[in-house]
Amino acid sequence: MTILWISGDDSREDAFSVRRAVFCREQGYEEVEEFDDIDREAQHVVVYENGQPTATGRLYRTEEPGTWRIGRVAVRKSHRGMGLGAVIMEQMLKRAGQLKAEKLELDAQCRAMGFYQKFGFEAVGDEHMDGTIPHKKMQRILK
């Protein structure tokens, strides 16, 4: 397993290929919904297995001081159940600490809330729709 952080003008295509497979092909999001301007400013983490990108997530600063946002956490279907989602989250938490983040936020698919709770996130809002999938905002206070 290899883990790389990608930011700025670095190629984000490996992260995007995982997101296309999971969010566009599996879950039915259009590419115009999936990819946005935040991708340019975000830091992306990519996990590689046998040289192939298999999992990803992104981390970016919000307008609220000290607050960073986790998003687009995805693992290719062929590699689920191997703990790669946990690897992504551990990397995000480590990087957030390095960046002196005070709070982390994310929008979790409701069916995945238990996964994020294992990393100390708590639901902080009403259910809302993102495309056709119900989500809830979650957060974790770091300081």
Side-chain angles (χ1 to χ4, degrees):
M1 175 187 328
T2 304
I3 302 167
L4 292 178
W5 277 93
I6 301 165
S7 62
D9 292 332
D10 294 340
S11 171
R12 296 177 290 269
E13 187 50 41
D14 285 348
F16 290 178
S17 71
V18 175
R19 288 168 49 189
R20 272 188 203 95
V22 173
F23 297 122
C24 299
R25 288 193 286 278
E26 277 186 53
Q27 297 181 359
Y29 285 90
E30 296 292 328
E31 284 200 24
V32 352
E33 296 172 292
E34 175 55 26
F35 301 100
D36 55 30
D37 290 340
I38 293 168
D39 284 320
R40 286 190 206 102
E41 68 184 68
Q43 298 180 38
H44 304 261
V45 63
V46 181
V47 173
Y48 297 83
E49 288 286 341
N50 300 316
Q52 298 301 310
T54 55
T56 192
R58 73 180 185 183
L59 180 68
Y60 61 94
R61 185 188 317 263
T62 71
E63 292 181 10
E64 183 181 337
T67 301
W68 288 73
R69 190 161 186 77
I70 291 174
R72 306 306 204 259
V73 175
V75 178
R76 287 186 190 271
K77 193 173 191 174
S78 59
H79 287 77
R80 291 188 193 139
M82 300 170 62
L84 298 181
V87 170
I88 291 292
M89 289 302 295
E90 289 162 2
Q91 288 292 312
M92 297 277 196
L93 291 168
K94 181 178 176 183
R95 180 60 59 104
Q98 294 167 343
L99 295 167
K100 310 270 191 271
E102 297 173 16
K103 180 170 71 170
L104 286 171
E105 298 177 338
L106 57 83
D107 276 332
Q109 293 183 1
C110 289
R111 65 178 174 228
M113 287 177 59
F115 170 76
Y116 295 109
Q117 288 169 336
K118 291 177 188 175
F119 295 95
F121 286 83
E122 297 178 354
V124 292
D126 295 330
E127 187 174 300
H128 62 277
M129 297 301 288
D130 184 341
T132 61
I133 299 174
H135 284 67
K136 270 200 177 182
K137 183 178 178 181
M138 299 184 82
Q139 71 178 20
R140 177 177 165 176
I141 304 301
L142 300 175
K143 293 186 175 185

